[in-house]
C-alpha cells in the first residue's frame, strides 16, 4: 500500500502540517520533538533573537529604499522571512560553512557582515559583497539552486578531511524544481555528506505559487532520497532554531545530510524588479501579516514581561543606526578601475588572463578616459 501524504490544498492546511513552538499569538506550545533543542534558550536570548529580526527588517527596508533611489541595481527583499533566517543562522557553529541563495541577508548579518557587505554586490562593485573566508559564507548565488551542489561538494571535502564542520545551504521552494537541487540531494545521500538543506518555502517562486509546483509538502521529498526531514513553521524563530540544531547534530555526528522545510511567506516582491500585485491576492498578504514573525516573538516576550517599551525603543534605535551605517557605506563606495575586474581571479597570474586583460584594456582605450 502506498503511503498516505496530505496534499497542499491551501494556506490553512499548509500551516497545519508544520511543527511549531510559538503560536501566531505568541503563546508557547509544548512540542516534545523540538523543545529539547531549545530548552537552554532564556529570556535574554529571546530578546537577542527579537533584536536580530528587528535589525534585519530595517536593513531590508533600507536596501529597498536604496534601490528605489538608484543607488543599487537590484535588491531581493526578505521581509516576512526573518524568523527562518535568524533562527537557523544563530544555530550554526562558527566553523560551519554556509552556501546561500540571493535572499539570505539575515544569514550574512548573523555571520557578522559589515554595513557595506549588504550592498556591495547589489551595487555592482564586487562579485561578492562580503569576504567569504571571514564570514565562512560563500558569495550570494543568483543561479537558482546551484549553491546546493557547491555545499555538497564542500561537505564531501569535510568528510574526506575528517573535520568538525557542516555545510549548510539555503534555497527557496522554487529551487526545489531545479535539477541541481535534486542532484545535490542524491550525492549527499549516496556519500552521507555532512550537509543541511534549508528550504525557505515562502509560497511564491516569483509568480508561481508553491501549490502549483508541489502537490505535496516539500519536506516529504527528502525521505525519498534517504534524507530525514523536518517541516517547521518558518515564522516561529524558536522552531527554526530547534530544527537547525537537530539537523546540525545529525549531520555532525556522521549520519549524513538532513533537510528542513521552513514554511514562511515573502511579504514583498521577489526582487525590486517584480510587481507581486500582478499575481498575488491582497487578502492572502493580509492573512500572513497576522502571522508576522517579529510580532509573534514580541507578543511572547511582552506576555512574560520580558520586553519593555524602553527595550523595544532601544532595539529600534539600534536598527536605525545599522541602516544609517549601511547607507553611508553604500554612498561612500568608490568604483574600482575597470581593469581591476581581473584582480584576484587566480591565485597566480598566467598568460591567458594577461591576454584577456590586454584585450579589454585596448577596448577601454577606445573610450577616452575610461581606463
Amino acid at each position: 500500500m502506498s503511503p498516505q501524504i496530505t496534499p497542499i490544498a491551501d494556506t490553512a492546511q499548509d500551516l497545519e502540517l508544520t511543527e511549531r513552538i510559538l503560536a501566531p499569538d505568541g503563546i508557547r506550545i509544548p512540542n516534545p520533538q523540538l523543545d529539547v533543542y531549545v530548552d537552554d534558550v532564556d529570556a535574554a536570548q529571546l530578546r537577542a533573537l527579537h533584536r536580530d529580526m528587528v535589525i534585519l527588517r530595517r536593513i531590508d527596508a533600507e536596501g529597498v529604499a536604496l534601490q528605489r533611489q538608484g543607488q543599487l541595481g537590484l535588491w531581493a527583499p526578505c521581509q516576512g522571512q526573518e524568523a527562518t533566517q535568524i533562527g537557523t543562522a544563530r544555530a550554526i557553529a562558527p566553523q560551519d560553512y554556509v552556501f546561500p541563495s540571493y535572499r539570505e541577508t539575515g544569514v550574512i548579518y548573523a555571520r557578522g557582515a559589515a554595513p557595506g557587505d549588504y550592498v556591495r554586490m547589489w551595487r555592482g562593485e564586487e562579485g561578492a559583497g562580503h569576504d567569504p573566508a571571514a564570514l565562512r559564507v560563500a558569495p550570494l548565488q543568483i543561479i537558482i539552486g546551484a549553491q546546493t551542489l557547491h555545499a555538497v561538494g564542500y561537505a564531501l571535502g569535510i568528510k574526506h578531511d575528517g573535520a568538525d564542520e557542516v555545510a549548510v545551504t539555503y534555497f527557496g521552494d522554487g529551487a526545489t524544481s531545479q535539477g541541481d537541487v535534486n542532484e545535490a540531494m542524491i550525492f549527499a545521500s549516496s556519500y552521507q555528506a555532512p550537509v543541511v538543506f534549508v528550504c525557505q518555502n515562502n509560497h511564491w517562486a516569483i509568480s508561481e505559487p508553491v501549490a502549483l509546483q508541489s502537490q505535496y509538502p516539500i519536506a516529504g521529498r527528502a525521505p525519498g532520497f534517504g534524507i530525514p526531514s523536518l517541516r517547521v513553521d518558518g515564522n516561529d524563530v524558536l522552531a527554526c532554531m530547534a530544527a537547525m540544531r537537530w539537523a546540525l547534530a545529525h549531520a555532525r555526528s556522521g549520519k549524513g545530510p538532513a533537510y528542513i522545510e521552513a514554511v514562511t511567506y515573502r511579504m514583498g516582491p521577489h526582487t525590486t524588479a517584480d510587481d507581486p500585485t500582478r499575481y498575488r491576492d491582497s487578502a492572502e498578504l493580509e492573512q500572513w501579516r497576522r502571522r508576522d514573525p517579529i510580532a509573534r516573538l514580541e507578543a511572547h516576550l511582552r506576555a512574560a514581561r520580558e520586553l519593555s517599551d524602553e527595550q523595544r525603543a532601544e532595539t529600534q534605535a539600534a536598527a536605525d543606526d545599522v541602516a544609517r551605517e549601511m547607507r553611508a557605506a553604500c554612498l561612500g563606495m568608490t568604483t574600482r578601475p575597470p581593469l581591476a575586474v581581473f584582480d584576484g581571479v587566480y591565485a597566480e597570474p598566467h598568460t591567458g588572463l594577461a591576454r584577456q586583460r590586454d584585450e579589454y584594456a585596448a577596448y577601454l582605450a577606445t573610450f577616452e578616459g575610461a581606463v
Side-chain angles (χ1 to χ4, degrees), residues 24-370:
D25 59 5
I27 294 176
R28 181 78 179 252
I29 303 170
N31 189 313
Q33 185 176 14
L34 297 180
D35 282 341
V36 64
Y37 292 101
V38 288
D39 279 344
D40 63 312
V41 178
D42 58 18
Q45 290 171 292
L46 287 175
R47 282 194 297 272
L49 291 171
H50 174 264
R51 181 188 182 92
D52 284 342
M53 291 195 289
V54 171
I55 291 174
L56 173 56
R57 183 163 292 183
R58 185 66 183 85
I59 290 170
D60 189 54
E62 194 67 22
V64 172
L66 285 165
Q67 192 281 329
R68 297 306 192 207
Q69 294 161 9
Q71 298 298 330
L72 304 178
L74 194 71
W75 183 263
C78 62
Q79 182 185 358
Q81 299 179 221
E82 293 89 355
T84 296
Q85 295 194 15
I86 294 300
T88 56
R90 284 303 186 193
I92 300 171
Q95 73 269 24
D96 297 335
Y97 210 103
V98 179
F99 294 81
S101 73
Y102 45 81
R103 202 182 303 279
E104 274 71 62
T105 308
V107 177
I108 64 169
Y109 161 79
R111 299 293 281 181
D117 293 348
Y118 305 114
V119 294
R120 191 172 292 106
M121 185 191 79
W122 298 115
R123 192 173 169 87
E125 304 293 355
E126 298 279 355
H130 58 273
D131 181 347
L135 300 190
R136 296 192 67 75
V137 179
L140 300 184
Q141 179 58 253
I142 300 296
I143 301 172
I144 306 299
Q147 70 277 9
T148 58
L149 291 171
H150 306 158
V152 173
Y154 188 91
L156 290 173
I158 292 173
K159 186 172 183 179
H160 181 270
D161 293 343
D164 180 26
E165 298 177 36
V166 174
V168 179
T169 183
Y170 290 82
F171 50 95
D173 48 289
T176 63
S177 294
Q178 292 285 344
D180 283 4
V181 175
N182 293 275
E183 291 164 12
M185 292 169 68
I186 290 171
F187 263 82
S189 179
S190 297
Y191 294 99
Q192 291 295 281
V195 59
V196 174
F197 296 94
V198 183
C199 174
Q200 293 187 83
N201 177 359
N202 66 15
H203 281 75
W204 289 95
I206 306 184
S207 59
E208 298 294 349
V210 67
L212 182 65
Q213 65 170 334
S214 183
Q215 298 300 308
Y216 301 97
I218 293 173
R221 300 180 187 180
F225 292 91
I227 302 174
S229 65
L230 267 177
R231 191 170 201 259
V232 298
D233 186 336
N235 285 16
D236 176 355
V237 70
L238 269 181
C240 291
M241 175 173 280
M244 182 56 95
R245 286 180 170 182
W246 159 77
L248 289 167
H250 177 91
R252 208 181 303 279
S253 64
K255 296 177 181 177
Y259 191 105
I260 299 168
E261 178 193 357
V263 182
T264 182
Y265 196 78
R266 165 170 57 82
M267 298 299 293
H270 178 73
T271 69
T272 46
D274 171 44
D275 178 8
T277 63
R278 298 177 62 186
Y279 55 81
R280 195 165 65 182
D281 187 351
S282 60
E284 178 182 288
L285 189 64
E286 289 306 311
Q287 185 181 29
W288 278 93
R289 286 193 195 282
R290 295 192 290 273
R291 302 183 180 116
D292 184 276
I294 298 176
R296 180 181 306 200
L297 181 55
E298 189 166 319
H300 176 74
L301 287 168
R302 292 225 183 239
R305 298 187 177 182
E306 293 289 352
L307 184 68
S308 66
D309 290 342
E310 291 76 14
Q311 288 170 318
R312 183 64 175 85
E314 190 278 329
T315 293
Q316 190 59 58
D320 290 339
D321 287 342
V322 172
R324 274 193 293 271
E325 292 171 2
M326 172 181 164
R327 173 172 285 272
C330 179
L331 300 183
M333 286 180 182
T334 301
T335 300
R336 297 185 301 164
L339 289 175
V341 71
F342 295 95
D343 296 345
V345 176
Y346 291 96
E348 298 291 337
H350 59 78
T351 56
L353 189 67
R355 184 182 68 254
Q356 292 178 34
R357 189 182 190 281
D358 290 343
E359 290 172 353
Y360 190 45
Y363 169 74
L364 291 174
T366 65
F367 302 92
E368 184 178 355

